Amino acid sequence: MITIKSEAEIKLMRVSGKVVGQALLELGAKVKPGITTQELDRVAYDFFKKNDCVPAFLGYHGYPATICTSINAEVVHGIPGKRVLEEGDIVGVDIGAYYKGYCGDSARTFAVGKVSAEAKKLLEVTFEALNKGIEQCRIGNRISDIGHAVQKYAESKGFSVVRDYVGHGIGRAMHEDPQVPNYGKPHQGPRIVEGMCLALEPMVNIGTEEVKVLQDGWTVVTKDGKFSAHFEDTIAVLADGPENLTRVS
Ligand code: MF3
Ligand code: CO
């Protein structure tokens, strides 16, 4: 069931969205060669506590951390640990939190020091693909217009989009209806109406779109070992267009 949020609910979504966005800014500033992913996790945990927010991922289906950190060929759901980030890596940082029962969910993929030209292009194209999707979050469009725009842009730049994981409605639960794929034909699926809140999250690969889950039961990686990037924002559909709840800069 797709839930439509009232103005009062969207006010609360703005707060969780802003905290999540600010946490990502802080995390991005800490991403440098030498830091471990578990140090980043701790920063996010402390930031949420300080801002009266409850981590959304911790304990979700048994997930053991506050954030997901997905390095290089890892697509999503990498678990923070002792791994040290190195120059030339890219790291996807995915975070979510509840404020007064309303969820914000966002991700950015950061370059660790200097990265290859190809990796840099992957980051730019994935971020822009997210923006193309957000632009479609308008009353009168349909859900598949989002994925169509994402896919068209990413593929026009020579990259592929992951099919096995999708964006989602968001509100009192992190994952609500509808599913929001990052691919597909235009003008299909539910109509986009005022008060919908959606988390758009393209995962874009340099090589094959095919992915698999590692033995830990969480970490999703590309089948060919080539790099993948992930960007996500939580969007509210308003009368005059999309409002990005998690983008703070
Ligand atoms: N941000 C992810 C999503 O949008 C959720 C992470 S999965 C979790 O679906 F298990 F870590 F919570
Ligand atoms: Co999400």
Side-chain angles (χ1 to χ4, degrees), residues 127-146:
F127 183 59
E128 197 50 34
L130 169 61
N131 292 336
K132 300 284 183 200
I134 292 169
E135 192 47 42
Q136 295 299 314
C137 294
R138 295 181 176 281
I139 297 166
N141 282 357
R142 289 178 182 257
I143 288 294
S144 84
D145 291 320
I146 297 169

Side-chain angles (χ1 to χ4, degrees), residues 10 14 134 137 234-238 240-246:
I10 289 175
R14 276 192 191 107
I134 292 169
C137 294
T234 296
I235 306 301
V237 178
L238 303 183
D240 56 356
E243 178 176 332
N244 195 325
L245 302 176
T246 46

